Amino acid sequence: MFGNTEEYDRDRNGFLERCHSEYGDVFSFDARTIVVSSPDQVHALLTRTNKDFLAENSPLAGRVDTERMAADAELWTTTRRAGWQGLHRRVAQAHAERLREVFFKTVGDGEMDVLATMTDFFGRATADFCLSADAEGVPETLAENVAAIDPLSRDSLQLPPWWPSRRVRRFARSRKRLLALMSDIVRRRRQAGDPSAQDLLSVLLASGDRELSDLQIERFLRGIMLAALGVPATAFTWIVYELTTRPDVLARLEAEAASAGDVPVVEELPYTEAFVKEVLRLWPPTWLIGRTVRRETELDGWRLKTGDQVLFSLYRLHRDPRWWSDPDRLVPERWLEPHVAPVRHTYLPFGAGPRVCVGTQLGMMQLTLATFWLVSYMDLARPQETAIVPDFSGLLVPRDLRVRSRRKAARQSA
C-alpha cells in the first residue's frame, strides 16, 4: 500500500544512494515520482521551473491544482523582482551593522544547543533585514511556525488540512498568527509612508514597476523569513561542527580575521567565504529538492504527467565522485583556485533557475560575517567528543550538537 515509503523513511539518504547505485541517474520512486541525479537533468528541472515544473512546498496534502500553483508562482516572481533590489549594498550594509549587535545578544558564554541558538540568531537577523525596527515579536512567531512545520515535514505521508490531528491544527494556528502579524506590520508601514527605513519591506513598498498588493508583500516576506530561518541556522550549525573538528581550518580563519575590521565586507574575507561555500557543499541544509509537473512533458526521455513529482538529492550531487575530487572531505582551498572551478550545475546550495533563492547574497553575507565574529571573539569546545549523526528526516542537521562557548580575553590584533 505504501510502496517504498517505509524503507525510505528508515534511511532516506541511504535508500536514495542504494537506488542510484543499482538503477543509475534516473529511477522511479513510485508510480508518480521519479528521482534524477545527473547535473544536466537537475539543471533542466530547475531552469524549466514555472514553465513545465512548479515548486510546491506545502507540508499538507491536497489536490494538485497546477494552474493555481502557476498563478501563485507568477505572483511570487513579480514580488521577487522588486525584492531583488532589497539586496543592494546600502540596505545590506545597514543590516550588517545591526547584525553584529544581534549576534552578540544571541551568542554568549556557556554551553549551548547549537541549532536552537542559531535558529534564534537567524530568526532575529532575518526579521531585522526584512523589517528592521518593526521586527518586534516576529522572530518568536516565526520560530513557532517553523516548529509546527517540522514534524509534518519529517513524515513522507502528508496529512490533508482537514485531518483531525494536533499537528495539523498547530500548523494552521501558527501560520494564521504569522500572516496576521505580517498583515498588521505591512498595513502600518504603508500608512506611515516612511521612506527612511533601510530594509526589504521599504523596498517592496516603494517598488517602481507597479504597486504590489499588501497580500503579495505579506506572503513574500513570510516565505523569505521562513526560508531564511531554518536553512541558514542549519548551515551555521554545520559550520560550528566543522570549526570544532578541524583545528587547521580554524587557525587559518583566525589568522584572516585578525587583520579585518569589526564589520568587514565579504570580499575582505576570501578564506572565510571559501570555508562557508565548502560547508554548504558538504552539508546542504535543503538536501532534497522536488518539483511538481505542471503539464505533460519529458525529462531526459521520461514521459511525465501533470501532477507527477521529480526529486533530486543535492547532498548526493555535491558528493558525487564523478564531479568532485575528495568529495567527502572539507577542502575550502578548492574555492580559492580559479582554475579548479566545479563542473557546471554540480554546486547548487541556493538552487538555480527562476526559483533560485532570492536570499543568496544575504545568506552568504550573514553566514560569512557570523563565522568571522565567532572565530574572532569566541573559543569553542565540544563537551563530549561523540560522533555527530546527520539527520536527513527534514533539513539536513547534525543531531544533538552541543558546544561550550567562551569569550576570548582579547580579540586578536594584526
Side-chain angles (χ1 to χ4, degrees), residues 50 56 73 78 91 97 148-150 153 195 200 211 267 272 286 307 342 365 370 378 387 395:
N50 287 1
E56 180 61 86
T78 301
V91 172
E97 299 287 344
I149 293 171
D150 183 65
S153 67
L200 182 56
E211 186 173 291
E267 291 79 9
T272 308
T286 307
M365 182 188 76
M378 309 299 293
L395 292 176

Side-chain angles (χ1 to χ4, degrees), residues 44 57 62 66 95 114 150 181 206 253 259 263 290 314 325 379 397 407:
N57 55 7
T66 55
H95 168 65
V114 181
D150 183 65
L181 179 58
L253 289 167
S259 60
V263 188
L314 200 57
S325 62
D379 285 319
V397 300
R407 187 74 179 253

Side-chain angles (χ1 to χ4, degrees), residues 88-105:
H88 61 66
R89 184 172 292 275
R90 179 176 61 84
V91 172
Q93 189 58 37
H95 168 65
E97 299 287 344
R98 301 189 301 263
L99 186 66
R100 183 179 184 276
E101 182 180 351
V102 174
F103 181 83
F104 288 108
K105 280 184 177 178

Side-chain angles (χ1 to χ4, degrees), residues 196-412:
S196 64
Q198 296 187 19
D199 56 29
L200 182 56
L201 176 54
S202 66
V203 172
L204 294 172
L205 288 173
S207 171
D209 297 341
R210 64 184 180 88
E211 186 173 291
L212 301 171
S213 72
D214 285 3
L215 184 61
Q216 280 178 278
I217 294 174
E218 292 158 19
R219 289 183 174 177
F220 183 75
L221 289 175
R222 175 183 178 270
I224 289 291
M225 289 192 291
L226 284 177
L229 175 64
V231 172
T234 300
F236 203 77
T237 302
W238 283 115
I239 284 172
V240 172
Y241 166 76
E242 293 292 351
L243 290 175
T244 61
T245 56
R246 289 292 301 273
D248 57 326
V249 171
L250 175 60
R252 187 163 174 183
L253 289 167
E254 289 176 331
E256 180 174 82
S259 60
D262 283 344
V263 188
V265 295
V266 171
E267 291 79 9
E268 295 172 357
L269 303 169
Y271 187 78
T272 308
E273 184 182 19
F275 167 68
V276 171
K277 287 181 177 179
E278 181 69 347
V279 172
L280 290 173
R281 182 191 68 82
L282 267 184
W283 308 108
T286 307
W287 71 278
L288 188 68
I289 296 175
R291 293 290 186 262
T292 300
V293 178
R294 179 180 179 181
R295 52 192 168 215
E296 286 196 15
T297 188
E298 193 173 286
L299 181 64
D300 202 20
W302 284 67
R303 294 296 304 170
L304 300 169
K305 298 178 181 178
T306 302
D308 285 355
Q309 303 290 315
V310 185
L311 305 174
F312 72 90
S313 169
L314 200 57
Y315 179 85
R316 299 311 324 159
L317 182 68
H318 282 185
R319 290 175 178 247
D320 193 320
R322 292 177 295 176
W323 325 122
W324 300 92
S325 62
D326 212 356
D328 296 324
R329 185 170 175 270
L330 182 88
V331 186
E333 291 76 11
R334 73 172 87 237
W335 301 101
L336 300 174
E337 300 290 343
H339 62 280
V340 190
V343 175
R344 290 184 67 195
H345 317 317
T346 60
Y347 181 72
L348 303 167
F350 298 100
R355 291 302 291 263
V356 64
C357 177
V358 71
T360 299
Q361 293 171 296
L362 173 65
M364 281 301 300
M365 182 188 76
Q366 289 180 337
L367 290 170
T368 303
L369 288 179
T371 302
F372 162 74
W373 290 320
L374 193 66
V375 302
S376 295
Y377 292 98
M378 309 299 293
D379 285 319
L380 301 176
R382 297 250 300 277
Q384 295 180 334
E385 287 295 330
T386 54
I388 294 299
V389 178
D391 184 351
F392 291 88
S393 56
L395 292 176
L396 172 56
V397 300
R399 192 181 300 161
D400 302 324
L401 177 64
R402 303 187 69 86
V403 301
R404 291 194 191 96
S405 62
R406 182 172 57 84
R407 187 74 179 253
K408 292 179 178 179
R411 188 188 166 192
Q412 304 165 28

